[in-house]
Amino acid sequence: MKEMYESDLYGEKNPTWHEEDSAWKAGHIERMIKRNKIPSDRICEVGCGTGEILLTLEKAFPTTSLSGYEISPEAFRRAAPKETPNTKFYLKDLLAESDLHFDVVLAIDVIEHVEDYISFIKKLKEFGTFKIFHIPLDLSAQSILRAWPIAELRRNVGHVQYFFKQTALATLEDCGYTIVDHCYTASRLELPNQAFSSRMMRLPRRLMFSLNADFAVRLLGGYSLLVLAK
């Protein structure tokens, strides 16, 4: 699947590179950092895409040094012209670098794209004191029963790993991380321009989530997991 990002294939299938979701993701990241009062003088994002998450975070943390690493030439071409004195982008594999250490490393919607995700997560550990992962919870009762949503994620956005909450957290712990904080994020409820089927499911998702969040996510899906780990 790495070839999907190093070629133009991902951009052809996803021409916006999901820039429209960046402010929403950055908002959740900002709240996670501030809620836990963790150091944030140096923030790095692995798989930064076109850089919009970091550029949004710069507004929240104006004295922070932000670095984005991306292996896609197309995404980097879109990010590079937007560099600022505080936010820099690199067409490099972060894990191939040496002598780099950040307060916070972001892996936002990344590990589900990585074939050897266990090695990736273990290697990432040395690059930051804290890590923030955003992990789509693709596995739910409805997605398994319908089957095609997972097949579409594989075909169109390159998901090759599929998680629910318990396996996501267990994976990080098995890789040597300590979970500091975690919460659900609700893209299907909070983001605009959702498919008709997602709009129809908003009320059931809200009602069930208010009664039993874990059960609602396992049954209906439509959520991701934001995890702060050390």
Side-chain angles (χ1 to χ4, degrees), residues 135-163:
I135 307 169
L137 301 178
D138 293 330
L139 294 180
S140 66
Q142 67 87 15
S143 70
I144 293 171
L145 285 172
R146 293 194 295 160
W148 67 263
I150 292 177
E152 287 293 299
L153 288 169
R154 190 180 190 92
R155 183 180 305 111
N156 292 326
V157 293
H159 288 197
V160 293
Q161 314 295 343
Y162 310 98
F163 299 93

Side-chain angles (χ1 to χ4, degrees), residues 42 46 61 87 92-93 141 155 170 194 196 221-222:
R42 299 187 71 208
V46 58
F61 303 99
T87 302
K92 295 180 178 180
D93 179 355
R155 183 180 305 111
Q194 295 295 312
F196 176 75

Side-chain angles (χ1 to χ4, degrees), residues 21-48:
D21 301 342
S22 297
W24 173 78
K25 293 175 184 178
H28 282 288
I29 295 164
E30 176 190 349
R31 288 188 287 275
M32 179 70 81
I33 290 172
K34 291 181 176 178
R35 180 167 69 243
N36 289 278
K37 298 180 174 62
I38 62 173
S40 56
D41 290 335
R42 299 187 71 208
I43 295 176
C44 172
E45 184 181 6
V46 58
C48 68

Side-chain angles (χ1 to χ4, degrees), residues 24 186-192 194 198 201-206 209 222-223:
W24 173 78
S187 61
R188 294 296 183 271
L189 299 180
E190 297 172 3
L191 288 175
Q194 295 295 312
S198 294
M201 289 299 294
R202 279 178 175 170
L203 181 58
R205 281 191 171 110
R206 283 197 178 96
F209 191 87
Y223 290 81

Side-chain angles (χ1 to χ4, degrees), residues 192-222:
N193 303 319
Q194 295 295 312
F196 176 75
S197 58
S198 294
R199 297 198 301 273
M200 291 292 292
M201 289 299 294
R202 279 178 175 170
L203 181 58
R205 281 191 171 110
R206 283 197 178 96
L207 290 175
M208 192 168 290
F209 191 87
S210 68
L211 296 173
N212 188 320
D214 288 342
F215 181 74
V217 175
R218 288 197 303 270
L219 180 64
L220 300 178

